Amino acid sequence: MKILLMAVNAKYIHTNPAIYSLKAYAGQIVDRQIDIVEYTINHRREEILSDLYRRSPNLLAVSCYIWNWELVCALLKEIPKILPQTEIWLGGPEVSYHPEQVLAQFPMVKGIMTGEGEQTFRELAKGREELSDISGIVYRQDGIVRTREREPMELSKIPFLYNDLSAFANKIIYYESSRGCPYRCSYCLSSIDKTVRFRDLEMVKRELQFFLDKRVPQVKLVDRTFNCNHHHALEIWRYLLEHDNGVTNFHFEIEADILSEEELSLLARMRPGLMQMEIGVQTTNPESLQEIRRHGDMERLREVVMRIRQAHNIHIHLDLIAGLPFEDYDSFAQSFNEVYAMQPQQLQLGFLKVLKGSHMYDMADSYGMQYLSMPPYEVLSTRWLPYEKVLCLKEVEEMVEIYYNSGQFRASMSLLQKVYPDAFSLYEALAAFCQKEGYMANAQARVSRYQALMEFMMTTMLADREDLCREVLTYDYYLRENVKSRPPFAPAEDEEIRTESKKRLRAFYIMEEAEYKNLPAYGGYDSRQMSKMTHGEIFWYPVWEESLTPETKPWEEPAILVFDYRTRDPLTYEARTVFV
């Protein structure tokens, strides 16, 4: 019997650990051919159908999520036409909470595996038990039958998924050291799993060592709140510190305000770039936090983020959610400003998704929520936030992605913020400008984004400081880009000063060729090669200083800065700079 586990991912770099977990667990005892196939939502339906036909499974099990449900729905209508004998089963969060409705909508589907699937799939794949004896399924048999709920399993019984990494080349590796979440956030499906289970620590260490030995670029732990058990978190973080290979990066989702002093001390010792921390703030509005059943300590959160940021060794990712109950436009702006002030490397402005099975889904009507009928079920409006304001926040989100999260405009945005009352007002004004000028409708080349920001600057209180604006943008540009063609927004160069600076740069590179004092990463290269591999630029203002303001005066003599692209900041990817 041929069984095919099918996933449809959002991007090529993603994988679906759920189907690998199902196969790994079932493969221990099932003497049947179980294969895995992964597509993306960008595949054409015809491509997927033709591939499924060539595989011709007897049983097809499809993993269903909000990002693939529309495509899966379309495929379900076509699969029986080409594979009429194939038995179709579904699983995953998109079908687990209203399975009877799904079966009523899709008569070609035999059944649905609800909730945790490893044991359920193994029993189903064996094909020896009566369906009525298998826990955790809803199936079609003289009507629709629901069996008893499946009990949570011991996490350490699931085999390691990644003994063979050939299927995961150039893809993100996902790893699970715990399952479930102790918190009850009303918008999250993890709150339904009322038990938190941990994989055996010695087993976790062996498996993480496998990734370290293979020098995997990144491992993303999918634990919902990795540090909810302090001993578990400390042991793993201590192991990673002691066995760091200098290459692999580990991503964790944590609750920052519960980090202990011992954990913070340990984290401060990590290699820059070893870890990323994703922290869900969601909102700073106390009324909203209470309503969504989050009870974090906001002052402690600020303190912890500040301490992690000051160590400059861990990439910090903070999340906000727009559309929560009791959060209006002004309240969200306040939440944005408070989180922005924490200065994370990345600030994700997300929009509430009203997920089936969540408490938020049950409460949506009482909140006056309108949301998309199809995935991703994103909020359109609430009693507190009209659709018009949701659209405004969408535009702000795009500006945050381009001009903050890209990390390419750090100095420029810092300067701009000083002419606006707060950060939200800046991004709101920038969004309005880009909408008016048509930049929202067209994908921009990277250099065009700098030019658009230059044009925006000339509409602000910086309009009479064009020379300063051009310099700060040029500095941001060369921090990331080693290009020899001069960008259009760069300051005009005085011929005499340009000639003199070339002489100074030439002398600098000749001196470096002799001893590599300032450019140690270029040992073995001659002066001409170093001049091509780096970039030298004249500056009349200290644009790299946080103290830079619109009132900053130019120097009497310019400074020359060399951008060293072989030595980059592991957190920001900015080039190291050297004064000539």
Side-chain angles (χ1 to χ4, degrees):
M1 182 178 182
K2 294 170 64 177
I3 299 173
L4 185 63
L5 287 159
M6 170 181 155
V8 183
N9 302 320
K11 297 179 180 179
Y12 172 77
I13 61 169
H14 295 169
T15 56
N16 184 315
I19 59 173
Y20 287 92
S21 186
L22 296 187
K23 181 181 178 180
Y25 191 77
Q28 292 179 312
I29 62 170
V30 177
D31 185 21
R32 298 194 177 197
Q33 180 183 344
I34 302 178
D35 294 322
I36 283 175
V37 63
E38 293 187 272
Y39 308 106
T40 77
I41 57 175
N42 297 315
H43 275 95
R44 292 170 48 246
R45 296 178 196 174
E46 293 79 6
E47 289 180 87
I48 296 175
L49 289 171
S50 62
D51 187 58
L52 291 175
Y53 179 77
R54 282 191 289 269
R55 295 173 183 273
S56 294
N58 302 106
L59 188 152
L60 175 65
V62 186
S63 188
C64 305
Y65 297 85
I66 56 174
W67 61 78
N68 69 18
W69 183 235
E70 283 191 79
L71 180 54
V72 168
C73 288
L75 292 169
L76 289 176
K77 297 174 183 177
E78 311 303 335
I79 291 171
K81 299 175 184 177
I82 58 170
L83 295 170
Q85 303 306 315
T86 296
E87 188 173 294
I88 302 174
W89 283 77
L90 307 179
E94 185 55 30
V95 296
S96 283
Y97 301 103
H98 292 79
E100 290 86 356
Q101 293 179 17
V102 176
L103 288 177
Q105 183 180 358
F106 297 100
M108 71 290 295
V109 174
K110 173 65 177 177
I112 292 172
M113 293 175 276
T114 63
E116 200 165 75
E118 284 88 358
Q119 290 176 303
T120 303
F121 176 72
R122 183 172 69 174
E123 293 175 15
L124 186 68
K126 283 166 60 178
R128 297 168 194 155
E129 291 91 348
E130 291 290 331
L131 291 180
S132 58
D133 293 331
I134 299 176
S135 299
I137 62 172
V138 180
Y139 64 97
R140 196 185 307 280
Q141 185 172 307
D142 299 326
I144 294 176
V145 180
R146 178 189 280 265
T147 65
R148 62 190 176 278
E149 187 176 339
R150 171 73 64 181
E151 290 296 319
M153 70 178 298
E154 185 181 331
L155 207 56
S156 297
K157 290 184 177 179
I158 300 174
F160 185 52
L161 312 184
Y162 297 105
N163 292 312
D164 179 10
L165 287 176
S166 59
F168 305 98
N170 303 314
K171 295 189 177 183
I172 297 172
I173 298 291
Y174 298 96
Y175 181 78
E176 183 179 45
S177 79
S178 67
R179 188 176 286 182
C181 182
Y183 300 105
R184 298 291 175 260
C185 304
S186 66
Y187 52 82
C188 183
L189 294 180
S190 295
S191 64
I192 297 171
D193 188 349
K194 296 178 174 58
T195 60
V196 183
R197 290 151 288 148
F198 299 90
R199 198 163 175 83
D200 177 76
L201 267 172
E202 294 308 310
M203 183 181 290
V204 171
K205 292 174 185 178
R206 288 195 301 272
E207 292 167 351
L208 294 180
Q209 187 60 51
F210 174 84
F211 299 133
L212 292 165
D213 291 342
K214 297 294 184 181
R215 300 177 76 80
V216 170
Q218 184 179 56
V219 178
K220 187 168 185 177
L221 279 85
V222 295
D223 305 44
R224 298 313 301 164
T225 306
F226 177 78
N227 62 320
C228 63
N229 181 297
H230 294 287
H231 174 70
H232 181 84
L234 269 171
E235 282 291 302
I236 293 174
W237 284 339
R238 188 176 291 115
Y239 186 87
L240 294 179
L241 173 64
E242 294 170 354
H243 296 81
D244 179 19
N245 62 10
V247 173
T248 304
N249 166 268
F250 293 88
H251 180 105
F252 301 92
E253 293 186 34
I254 68 164
E255 190 75 10
D257 61 321
I258 65 170
L259 282 174
S260 67
E261 290 301 314
E262 186 178 7
E263 287 168 325
L264 285 169
S265 176
L266 182 66
L267 292 175
R269 296 162 55 198
M270 299 294 178
R271 164 181 60 86
L274 172 60
M275 290 190 178
Q276 294 177 198
M277 297 295 185
E278 183 171 351
I279 302 166
V281 182
Q282 321 313 8
T283 177
T284 63
N285 181 328
E287 195 172 9
S288 297
L289 286 169
Q290 182 175 356
E291 186 66 20
I292 63 176
R293 306 192 297 206
R294 285 183 66 88
H295 305 289
D297 183 338
M298 198 58 62
E299 286 306 313
R300 175 63 177 169
L301 171 65
R302 290 189 186 94
E303 178 191 352
V304 166
V305 171
M306 179 190 69
R307 288 175 61 177
I308 295 175
R309 184 173 55 79
Q310 285 176 341
H312 195 70
N313 65 335
I314 293 175
H315 182 283
I316 304 172
H317 176 137
L318 301 183
D319 295 332
L320 280 173
I321 297 178
L324 294 173
F326 297 101
E327 184 107 276
D328 60 17
Y329 189 76
D330 291 338
S331 167
F332 184 83
Q334 178 64 27
S335 293
F336 181 94
N337 287 329
E338 291 187 49
V339 173
Y340 191 91
M342 298 181 200
Q343 299 179 48
Q345 277 76 34
Q346 189 162 27
L347 196 171
Q348 181 175 321
L349 198 172
F351 291 80
L352 178 67
K353 294 171 179 59
V354 185
L355 303 177
K356 298 173 185 175
S358 69
H359 181 67
M360 186 68 70
Y361 179 84
D362 297 333
M363 297 294 293
D365 286 346
S366 67
Y367 298 144
M369 281 183 178
Q370 296 293 326
Y371 56 92
L372 293 172
S373 300
M374 288 295 288
Y377 310 114
E378 195 168 271
V379 70
L380 297 171
S381 64
T382 71
R383 274 170 36 200
W384 304 271
L385 193 68
Y387 182 57
E388 175 188 7
K389 292 302 184 182
V390 171
L391 291 179
C392 292
L393 292 178
K394 285 282 184 180
E395 294 170 359
V396 169
E397 176 199 23
E398 187 172 343
M399 295 298 98
V400 171
E401 281 299 310
I402 293 173
Y403 290 106
Y404 186 84
N405 289 341
S406 70
Q408 295 167 6
F409 304 89
R410 181 179 56 83
S412 302
M413 296 307 290
S414 177
L415 177 63
L416 266 167
Q417 190 179 338
K418 291 169 182 173
V419 300
Y420 279 87
D422 54 62
F424 186 83
S425 299
L426 164 58
Y427 287 92
E428 186 181 42
L430 182 55
F433 170 82
C434 288
Q435 182 67 38
K436 178 183 176 183
E437 298 300 322
Y439 292 131
M440 289 286 195
N442 303 305
Q444 294 175 266
R446 190 172 295 177
V447 68
S448 300
R449 293 172 175 176
Y450 289 88
Q451 185 60 39
L453 193 59
M454 181 67 204
E455 293 174 18
F456 172 69
M457 286 175 156
M458 294 301 96
T459 69
T460 71
M461 293 172 61
L462 291 167
D464 60 349
R465 298 306 313 274
E466 182 176 346
D467 52 345
L468 174 60
C469 293
R470 289 187 180 278
E471 276 208 5
V472 75
L473 276 168
T474 301
Y475 173 73
D476 275 336
Y477 185 68
Y478 283 120
L479 274 176
R480 291 299 193 95
E481 309 287 342
N482 183 16
V483 291
K484 298 308 174 187
S485 57
R486 196 159 179 77
F489 50 83
E493 294 182 296
D494 179 273
E495 188 61 35
E496 183 179 344
I497 292 174
R498 183 168 176 265
T499 301
E500 178 60 27
S501 68
K502 281 188 173 183
K503 289 180 182 178
R504 289 174 61 187
L505 278 169
R506 192 176 302 116
F508 171 80
Y509 288 119
I510 290 172
M511 181 183 68
E512 287 302 304
E513 185 179 346
E515 55 185 12
Y516 302 104
K517 180 180 178 181
N518 295 289
L519 298 174
Y522 295 80
Y525 291 99
D526 61 33
S527 59
R528 186 181 295 273
Q529 290 171 317
M530 281 189 280
S531 69
K532 291 180 179 178
M533 297 168 71
T534 61
H535 175 76
E537 185 70 25
I538 301 169
F539 290 97
W540 292 88
Y541 296 91
V543 291
W544 45 85
E545 297 286 352
E546 288 188 12
S547 58
L548 183 75
T549 70
E551 291 76 37
T552 301
K553 303 298 183 185
W555 294 315
E556 293 185 6
E557 296 290 335
I560 300 177
L561 210 59
V562 168
F563 294 82
D564 170 6
Y565 298 107
R566 289 176 69 86
T567 311
R568 292 182 180 268
D569 186 304
L571 266 62
T572 65
Y573 201 62
E574 292 177 351
R576 172 176 166 266
T577 55
V578 180
F579 284 104
V580 174

